[in-house]
PDB file of all heavy atoms in Angstrom:
ATOM      1  N   VAL B 618      -6.052 -10.418  35.882  1.00 94.00           N
ATOM      2  CA  VAL B 618      -5.675 -11.769  35.864  1.00 94.00           C
ATOM      3  C   VAL B 618      -5.266 -12.200  37.240  1.00 94.00           C
ATOM      4  O   VAL B 618      -5.558 -13.241  37.772  1.00 94.00           O
ATOM      5  CB  VAL B 618      -4.561 -12.083  34.926  1.00 94.00           C
ATOM      6  CG1 VAL B 618      -4.249 -13.612  34.843  1.00 94.00           C
ATOM      7  CG2 VAL B 618      -4.878 -11.505  33.478  1.00 94.00           C
ATOM      8  N   ARG B 619      -4.453 -11.288  37.801  1.00 96.00           N
ATOM      9  CA  ARG B 619      -3.923 -11.570  39.196  1.00 96.00           C
ATOM     10  C   ARG B 619      -5.000 -11.561  40.224  1.00 96.00           C
ATOM     11  O   ARG B 619      -5.068 -12.335  41.228  1.00 96.00           O
ATOM     12  CB  ARG B 619      -2.803 -10.602  39.511  1.00 96.00           C
ATOM     13  CG  ARG B 619      -1.582 -10.879  38.573  1.00 96.00           C
ATOM     14  CD  ARG B 619      -0.419  -9.854  38.879  1.00 96.00           C
ATOM     15  NE  ARG B 619       0.661 -10.023  37.930  1.00 96.00           N
ATOM     16  CZ  ARG B 619       1.753  -9.310  37.901  1.00 96.00           C
ATOM     17  NH1 ARG B 619       1.872  -8.262  38.790  1.00 96.00           N
ATOM     18  NH2 ARG B 619       2.654  -9.581  36.926  1.00 96.00           N
ATOM     19  N   PHE B 620      -6.003 -10.692  39.989  1.00 96.00           N
ATOM     20  CA  PHE B 620      -7.145 -10.635  40.917  1.00 96.00           C
ATOM     21  C   PHE B 620      -7.894 -11.999  40.889  1.00 96.00           C
ATOM     22  O   PHE B 620      -8.350 -12.520  41.845  1.00 96.00           O
ATOM     23  CB  PHE B 620      -8.077  -9.468  40.511  1.00 96.00           C
ATOM     24  CG  PHE B 620      -9.272  -9.341  41.431  1.00 96.00           C
ATOM     25  CD1 PHE B 620      -9.126  -9.247  42.804  1.00 96.00           C
ATOM     26  CD2 PHE B 620     -10.508  -9.314  40.866  1.00 96.00           C
ATOM     27  CE1 PHE B 620     -10.328  -9.195  43.674  1.00 96.00           C
ATOM     28  CE2 PHE B 620     -11.658  -9.187  41.635  1.00 96.00           C
ATOM     29  CZ  PHE B 620     -11.587  -9.136  42.995  1.00 96.00           C
ATOM     30  N   GLU B 621      -8.124 -12.525  39.561  1.00 96.00           N
ATOM     31  CA  GLU B 621      -8.674 -13.777  39.449  1.00 96.00           C
ATOM     32  C   GLU B 621      -8.033 -14.926  40.196  1.00 96.00           C
ATOM     33  O   GLU B 621      -8.634 -15.792  40.755  1.00 96.00           O
ATOM     34  CB  GLU B 621      -8.844 -14.120  37.950  1.00 96.00           C
ATOM     35  CG  GLU B 621      -9.951 -13.218  37.308  1.00 96.00           C
ATOM     36  CD  GLU B 621      -9.930 -13.210  35.767  1.00 96.00           C
ATOM     37  OE1 GLU B 621      -9.154 -14.046  35.196  1.00 96.00           O
ATOM     38  OE2 GLU B 621     -10.651 -12.531  35.143  1.00 96.00           O
ATOM     39  N   GLY B 622      -6.734 -14.782  40.193  1.00 98.00           N
ATOM     40  CA  GLY B 622      -5.931 -15.806  40.952  1.00 98.00           C
ATOM     41  C   GLY B 622      -6.149 -15.656  42.415  1.00 98.00           C
ATOM     42  O   GLY B 622      -6.251 -16.709  43.116  1.00 98.00           O
ATOM     43  N   TYR B 623      -6.312 -14.446  42.910  1.00 98.00           N
ATOM     44  CA  TYR B 623      -6.580 -14.199  44.298  1.00 98.00           C
ATOM     45  C   TYR B 623      -7.942 -14.898  44.709  1.00 98.00           C
ATOM     46  O   TYR B 623      -8.080 -15.547  45.647  1.00 98.00           O
ATOM     47  CB  TYR B 623      -6.665 -12.621  44.540  1.00 98.00           C
ATOM     48  CG  TYR B 623      -7.286 -12.196  45.808  1.00 98.00           C
ATOM     49  CD1 TYR B 623      -6.589 -12.071  47.030  1.00 98.00           C
ATOM     50  CD2 TYR B 623      -8.670 -11.709  45.773  1.00 98.00           C
ATOM     51  CE1 TYR B 623      -7.202 -11.618  48.153  1.00 98.00           C
ATOM     52  CE2 TYR B 623      -9.239 -11.245  46.971  1.00 98.00           C
ATOM     53  CZ  TYR B 623      -8.542 -11.212  48.126  1.00 98.00           C
ATOM     54  OH  TYR B 623      -9.143 -10.672  49.256  1.00 98.00           O
ATOM     55  N   ILE B 624      -8.996 -14.579  43.848  1.00 98.00           N
ATOM     56  CA  ILE B 624     -10.309 -15.161  44.105  1.00 98.00           C
ATOM     57  C   ILE B 624     -10.190 -16.643  44.097  1.00 98.00           C
ATOM     58  O   ILE B 624     -10.760 -17.353  45.048  1.00 98.00           O
ATOM     59  CB  ILE B 624     -11.193 -14.688  42.866  1.00 98.00           C
ATOM     60  CG1 ILE B 624     -11.271 -13.254  42.724  1.00 98.00           C
ATOM     61  CG2 ILE B 624     -12.589 -15.396  43.001  1.00 98.00           C
ATOM     62  CD1 ILE B 624     -12.418 -12.647  43.621  1.00 98.00           C
ATOM     63  N   ARG B 625      -9.478 -17.242  43.159  1.00 98.00           N
ATOM     64  CA  ARG B 625      -9.443 -18.644  43.073  1.00 98.00           C
ATOM     65  C   ARG B 625      -8.787 -19.248  44.352  1.00 98.00           C
ATOM     66  O   ARG B 625      -9.182 -20.253  44.852  1.00 98.00           O
ATOM     67  CB  ARG B 625      -8.597 -19.071  41.845  1.00 98.00           C
ATOM     68  CG  ARG B 625      -8.409 -20.637  41.635  1.00 98.00           C
ATOM     69  CD  ARG B 625      -7.986 -20.848  40.199  1.00 98.00           C
ATOM     70  NE  ARG B 625      -6.657 -20.464  39.960  1.00 98.00           N
ATOM     71  CZ  ARG B 625      -5.539 -21.104  40.290  1.00 98.00           C
ATOM     72  NH1 ARG B 625      -5.660 -22.310  40.784  1.00 98.00           N
ATOM     73  NH2 ARG B 625      -4.296 -20.593  40.027  1.00 98.00           N
ATOM     74  N   ALA B 626      -7.735 -18.470  44.799  1.00 98.00           N
ATOM     75  CA  ALA B 626      -7.036 -18.933  46.045  1.00 98.00           C
ATOM     76  C   ALA B 626      -8.019 -18.949  47.144  1.00 98.00           C
ATOM     77  O   ALA B 626      -8.015 -19.879  47.974  1.00 98.00           O
ATOM     78  CB  ALA B 626      -5.781 -18.150  46.289  1.00 98.00           C
ATOM     79  N   LEU B 627      -8.754 -17.956  47.371  1.00 98.00           N
ATOM     80  CA  LEU B 627      -9.688 -17.836  48.441  1.00 98.00           C
ATOM     81  C   LEU B 627     -10.682 -18.937  48.395  1.00 98.00           C
ATOM     82  O   LEU B 627     -10.893 -19.676  49.434  1.00 98.00           O
ATOM     83  CB  LEU B 627     -10.552 -16.533  48.391  1.00 98.00           C
ATOM     84  CG  LEU B 627      -9.848 -15.203  48.665  1.00 98.00           C
ATOM     85  CD1 LEU B 627     -10.821 -14.084  48.877  1.00 98.00           C
ATOM     86  CD2 LEU B 627      -8.869 -15.294  49.799  1.00 98.00           C
ATOM     87  N   LYS B 628     -11.130 -19.333  47.233  1.00 98.00           N
ATOM     88  CA  LYS B 628     -11.965 -20.499  47.072  1.00 98.00           C
ATOM     89  C   LYS B 628     -11.307 -21.739  47.534  1.00 98.00           C
ATOM     90  O   LYS B 628     -11.815 -22.506  48.378  1.00 98.00           O
ATOM     91  CB  LYS B 628     -12.493 -20.593  45.603  1.00 98.00           C
ATOM     92  CG  LYS B 628     -13.642 -19.834  45.247  1.00 98.00           C
ATOM     93  CD  LYS B 628     -14.412 -20.484  44.170  1.00 98.00           C
ATOM     94  CE  LYS B 628     -15.589 -19.620  43.632  1.00 98.00           C
ATOM     95  NZ  LYS B 628     -15.078 -18.759  42.538  1.00 98.00           N
ATOM     96  N   ASP B 629     -10.063 -21.992  47.065  1.00 98.00           N
ATOM     97  CA  ASP B 629      -9.393 -23.171  47.348  1.00 98.00           C
ATOM     98  C   ASP B 629      -9.210 -23.292  48.836  1.00 98.00           C
ATOM     99  O   ASP B 629      -9.121 -24.390  49.356  1.00 98.00           O
ATOM    100  CB  ASP B 629      -8.064 -23.164  46.622  1.00 98.00           C
ATOM    101  CG  ASP B 629      -8.275 -23.444  45.126  1.00 98.00           C
ATOM    102  OD1 ASP B 629      -9.388 -23.761  44.724  1.00 98.00           O
ATOM    103  OD2 ASP B 629      -7.291 -23.297  44.331  1.00 98.00           O
ATOM    104  N   PHE B 630      -8.939 -22.157  49.489  1.00 98.00           N
ATOM    105  CA  PHE B 630      -8.667 -22.202  50.910  1.00 98.00           C
ATOM    106  C   PHE B 630      -9.922 -22.002  51.787  1.00 98.00           C
ATOM    107  O   PHE B 630      -9.812 -21.775  52.942  1.00 98.00           O
ATOM    108  CB  PHE B 630      -7.546 -21.168  51.298  1.00 98.00           C
ATOM    109  CG  PHE B 630      -6.273 -21.430  50.478  1.00 98.00           C
ATOM    110  CD1 PHE B 630      -5.659 -20.379  49.910  1.00 98.00           C
ATOM    111  CD2 PHE B 630      -5.715 -22.779  50.338  1.00 98.00           C
ATOM    112  CE1 PHE B 630      -4.447 -20.581  49.176  1.00 98.00           C
ATOM    113  CE2 PHE B 630      -4.648 -22.925  49.617  1.00 98.00           C
ATOM    114  CZ  PHE B 630      -4.020 -21.881  48.991  1.00 98.00           C
ATOM    115  N   GLU B 631     -11.000 -21.892  51.103  1.00 97.00           N
ATOM    116  CA  GLU B 631     -12.314 -21.836  51.804  1.00 97.00           C
ATOM    117  C   GLU B 631     -12.464 -20.607  52.644  1.00 97.00           C
ATOM    118  O   GLU B 631     -12.765 -20.603  53.789  1.00 97.00           O
ATOM    119  CB  GLU B 631     -12.669 -23.088  52.592  1.00 97.00           C
ATOM    120  CG  GLU B 631     -12.743 -24.214  51.694  1.00 97.00           C
ATOM    121  CD  GLU B 631     -13.102 -25.509  52.351  1.00 97.00           C
ATOM    122  OE1 GLU B 631     -12.720 -25.603  53.605  1.00 97.00           O
ATOM    123  OE2 GLU B 631     -13.625 -26.423  51.804  1.00 97.00           O
ATOM    124  N   ILE B 632     -11.911 -19.493  52.041  1.00 98.00           N
ATOM    125  CA  ILE B 632     -11.984 -18.174  52.674  1.00 98.00           C
ATOM    126  C   ILE B 632     -13.133 -17.449  51.992  1.00 98.00           C
ATOM    127  O   ILE B 632     -13.002 -17.502  50.810  1.00 98.00           O
ATOM    128  CB  ILE B 632     -10.687 -17.327  52.598  1.00 98.00           C
ATOM    129  CG1 ILE B 632      -9.653 -18.082  53.391  1.00 98.00           C
ATOM    130  CG2 ILE B 632     -10.857 -15.992  53.287  1.00 98.00           C
ATOM    131  CD1 ILE B 632      -8.198 -17.371  53.221  1.00 98.00           C
ATOM    132  N   GLU B 633     -14.027 -16.781  52.699  1.00 97.00           N
ATOM    133  CA  GLU B 633     -15.040 -16.131  51.943  1.00 97.00           C
ATOM    134  C   GLU B 633     -14.588 -14.821  51.487  1.00 97.00           C
ATOM    135  O   GLU B 633     -13.863 -14.045  52.159  1.00 97.00           O
ATOM    136  CB  GLU B 633     -16.264 -15.873  52.954  1.00 97.00           C
ATOM    137  CG  GLU B 633     -17.538 -15.704  52.287  1.00 97.00           C
ATOM    138  CD  GLU B 633     -18.714 -15.610  53.324  1.00 97.00           C
ATOM    139  OE1 GLU B 633     -18.605 -16.151  54.437  1.00 97.00           O
ATOM    140  OE2 GLU B 633     -19.738 -14.960  52.957  1.00 97.00           O
ATOM    141  N   LEU B 634     -14.936 -14.526  50.225  1.00 97.00           N
ATOM    142  CA  LEU B 634     -14.594 -13.213  49.659  1.00 97.00           C
ATOM    143  C   LEU B 634     -15.220 -12.077  50.331  1.00 97.00           C
ATOM    144  O   LEU B 634     -16.468 -12.028  50.506  1.00 97.00           O
ATOM    145  CB  LEU B 634     -14.962 -13.239  48.123  1.00 97.00           C
ATOM    146  CG  LEU B 634     -14.646 -11.968  47.415  1.00 97.00           C
ATOM    147  CD1 LEU B 634     -13.114 -11.706  47.304  1.00 97.00           C
ATOM    148  CD2 LEU B 634     -15.162 -12.039  45.945  1.00 97.00           C
ATOM    149  N   ASP B 635     -14.462 -11.184  50.856  1.00 97.00           N
ATOM    150  CA  ASP B 635     -14.971 -10.038  51.540  1.00 97.00           C
ATOM    151  C   ASP B 635     -14.787  -8.774  50.671  1.00 97.00           C
ATOM    152  O   ASP B 635     -13.664  -8.305  50.503  1.00 97.00           O
ATOM    153  CB  ASP B 635     -14.248  -9.887  52.981  1.00 97.00           C
ATOM    154  CG  ASP B 635     -14.811  -8.681  53.684  1.00 97.00           C
ATOM    155  OD1 ASP B 635     -15.571  -7.923  53.197  1.00 97.00           O
ATOM    156  OD2 ASP B 635     -14.459  -8.548  54.885  1.00 97.00           O
ATOM    157  N   GLU B 636     -15.837  -8.159  50.294  1.00 97.00           N
ATOM    158  CA  GLU B 636     -15.804  -7.082  49.297  1.00 97.00           C
ATOM    159  C   GLU B 636     -15.029  -5.926  49.942  1.00 97.00           C
ATOM    160  O   GLU B 636     -14.344  -5.095  49.304  1.00 97.00           O
ATOM    161  CB  GLU B 636     -17.090  -6.549  48.928  1.00 97.00           C
ATOM    162  CG  GLU B 636     -17.982  -7.487  48.188  1.00 97.00           C
ATOM    163  CD  GLU B 636     -17.568  -7.532  46.772  1.00 97.00           C
ATOM    164  OE1 GLU B 636     -16.934  -6.697  46.269  1.00 97.00           O
ATOM    165  OE2 GLU B 636     -18.066  -8.516  46.015  1.00 97.00           O
ATOM    166  N   ASN B 637     -15.057  -5.845  51.251  1.00 98.00           N
ATOM    167  CA  ASN B 637     -14.362  -4.756  51.972  1.00 98.00           C
ATOM    168  C   ASN B 637     -12.892  -4.793  51.856  1.00 98.00           C
ATOM    169  O   ASN B 637     -12.159  -3.855  52.220  1.00 98.00           O
ATOM    170  CB  ASN B 637     -14.859  -4.731  53.483  1.00 98.00           C
ATOM    171  CG  ASN B 637     -16.246  -4.243  53.596  1.00 98.00           C
ATOM    172  OD1 ASN B 637     -16.675  -3.286  53.103  1.00 98.00           O
ATOM    173  ND2 ASN B 637     -16.984  -5.012  54.412  1.00 98.00           N
ATOM    174  N   LEU B 638     -12.445  -5.960  51.583  1.00 98.00           N
ATOM    175  CA  LEU B 638     -10.909  -6.142  51.553  1.00 98.00           C
ATOM    176  C   LEU B 638     -10.415  -5.961  50.117  1.00 98.00           C
ATOM    177  O   LEU B 638      -9.277  -6.245  49.916  1.00 98.00           O
ATOM    178  CB  LEU B 638     -10.590  -7.532  52.085  1.00 98.00           C
ATOM    179  CG  LEU B 638     -10.979  -7.788  53.574  1.00 98.00           C
ATOM    180  CD1 LEU B 638     -10.489  -9.077  54.086  1.00 98.00           C
ATOM    181  CD2 LEU B 638     -10.480  -6.583  54.433  1.00 98.00           C
ATOM    182  N   ILE B 639     -11.267  -5.491  49.277  1.00 98.00           N
ATOM    183  CA  ILE B 639     -10.806  -5.311  47.808  1.00 98.00           C
ATOM    184  C   ILE B 639     -10.498  -3.781  47.723  1.00 98.00           C
ATOM    185  O   ILE B 639     -11.411  -2.926  47.790  1.00 98.00           O
ATOM    186  CB  ILE B 639     -11.873  -5.681  46.859  1.00 98.00           C
ATOM    187  CG1 ILE B 639     -12.148  -7.241  47.000  1.00 98.00           C
ATOM    188  CG2 ILE B 639     -11.298  -5.412  45.462  1.00 98.00           C
ATOM    189  CD1 ILE B 639     -13.265  -7.753  46.103  1.00 98.00           C
ATOM    190  N   ILE B 640      -9.270  -3.440  47.530  1.00 98.00           N
ATOM    191  CA  ILE B 640      -8.814  -2.076  47.360  1.00 98.00           C
ATOM    192  C   ILE B 640      -8.497  -1.788  45.947  1.00 98.00           C
ATOM    193  O   ILE B 640      -7.449  -2.259  45.406  1.00 98.00           O
ATOM    194  CB  ILE B 640      -7.643  -1.727  48.231  1.00 98.00           C
ATOM    195  CG1 ILE B 640      -7.799  -2.289  49.723  1.00 98.00           C
ATOM    196  CG2 ILE B 640      -7.328  -0.291  48.233  1.00 98.00           C
ATOM    197  CD1 ILE B 640      -6.549  -2.537  50.410  1.00 98.00           C
ATOM    198  N   SER B 641      -9.411  -1.060  45.276  1.00 97.00           N
ATOM    199  CA  SER B 641      -9.208  -0.812  43.864  1.00 97.00           C
ATOM    200  C   SER B 641      -8.945   0.552  43.567  1.00 97.00           C
ATOM    201  O   SER B 641      -9.578   1.491  43.861  1.00 97.00           O
ATOM    202  CB  SER B 641     -10.580  -1.240  43.161  1.00 97.00           C
ATOM    203  OG  SER B 641     -10.519  -0.955  41.831  1.00 97.00           O
ATOM    204  N   ILE B 642      -7.760   0.748  42.830  1.00 96.00           N
ATOM    205  CA  ILE B 642      -7.335   2.127  42.469  1.00 96.00           C
ATOM    206  C   ILE B 642      -7.433   2.159  40.970  1.00 96.00           C
ATOM    207  O   ILE B 642      -7.499   1.168  40.231  1.00 96.00           O
ATOM    208  CB  ILE B 642      -6.064   2.478  43.032  1.00 96.00           C
ATOM    209  CG1 ILE B 642      -4.954   1.527  42.587  1.00 96.00           C
ATOM    210  CG2 ILE B 642      -6.091   2.496  44.474  1.00 96.00           C
ATOM    211  CD1 ILE B 642      -3.558   1.954  43.079  1.00 96.00           C
ATOM    212  N   ASN B 643      -7.046   3.343  40.393  1.00 92.00           N
ATOM    213  CA  ASN B 643      -7.237   3.569  38.978  1.00 92.00           C
ATOM    214  C   ASN B 643      -5.963   3.371  38.142  1.00 92.00           C
ATOM    215  O   ASN B 643      -6.033   3.556  36.870  1.00 92.00           O
ATOM    216  CB  ASN B 643      -7.847   4.985  38.644  1.00 92.00           C
ATOM    217  CG  ASN B 643      -9.273   5.113  39.218  1.00 92.00           C
ATOM    218  OD1 ASN B 643      -9.992   4.209  39.061  1.00 92.00           O
ATOM    219  ND2 ASN B 643      -9.602   6.144  39.920  1.00 92.00           N
ATOM    220  N   SER B 644      -4.811   3.203  38.771  1.00 90.00           N
ATOM    221  CA  SER B 644      -3.693   3.052  37.935  1.00 90.00           C
ATOM    222  C   SER B 644      -2.707   2.186  38.667  1.00 90.00           C
ATOM    223  O   SER B 644      -2.999   1.515  39.651  1.00 90.00           O
ATOM    224  CB  SER B 644      -3.029   4.446  37.937  1.00 90.00           C
ATOM    225  OG  SER B 644      -2.318   4.738  39.046  1.00 90.00           O
TER     226      SER B 644
END
Side-chain angles (χ1 to χ4, degrees):
Chain B
V618 188
R619 292 179 184 176
F620 179 55
E621 287 167 4
Y623 165 84
I624 302 274
R625 183 165 65 88
L627 291 193
K628 272 212 188 87
D629 287 353
F630 304 132
E631 297 179 335
I632 299 175
E633 203 174 336
L634 178 64
D635 182 350
E636 297 281 349
N637 288 314
L638 298 187
I639 302 176
I640 311 158
S641 175
I642 61 178
N643 292 320
S644 77

